[in-house]
Amino acid sequence: NSLQARLNGLSWLATFGQDLPPGVERILVMDATDLAELPLTNNDPNLRDGVDVETFWKGEGRKPTRVLLRRGKSAKAQAAANAAAIAAENAAI
């Protein structure tokens, strides 16, 4: 299971999500261990060509995207989930 395969949901949302009505919530579910690899810019090497994640993350004219992290059993997954929670708290301040 490659990282690009696991990021298919993000690619789909970034490509076709703009066609959804503004009231439809965009929710990305991913493993906490993949959080460090989540593309935030269009020049990310983990992103397929032609996918505009920058516009997707801006979310202009709609609700912000929610990222739900699945909690893994390993220590790495737990550490990534904790780091994401701290980052989310800091972003909300």
Side-chain angles (χ1 to χ4, degrees), residues 20-89:
L20 297 171
V24 174
E25 200 165 11
R26 280 80 170 163
I27 302 172
L28 180 63
V29 179
M30 60 186 297
D31 290 332
T33 54
D34 291 334
L35 186 61
E37 307 298 329
L38 184 65
L40 300 176
T41 64
N42 291 340
N43 62 352
D44 191 293
N46 295 318
L47 195 61
R48 289 191 337 239
D49 290 338
V51 177
D52 185 2
V53 293
E54 293 175 14
T55 299
F56 171 72
W57 289 124
K58 285 179 186 174
E60 294 175 354
R62 63 170 173 83
K63 293 180 180 180
T65 300
R66 292 194 307 158
V67 178
L68 301 180
L69 299 176
R70 288 187 287 240
R71 194 169 169 190
K73 295 180 182 177
S74 70
K76 183 178 177 183
Q78 183 65 40
N82 289 340
I86 291 168
E89 283 181 18

Side-chain angles (χ1 to χ4, degrees), residues 4-18:
Q4 282 195 333
R6 294 191 309 272
L7 292 176
N8 276 340
L10 172 62
S11 295
W12 188 92
L13 282 170
T15 303
F16 302 106
Q18 72 262 12

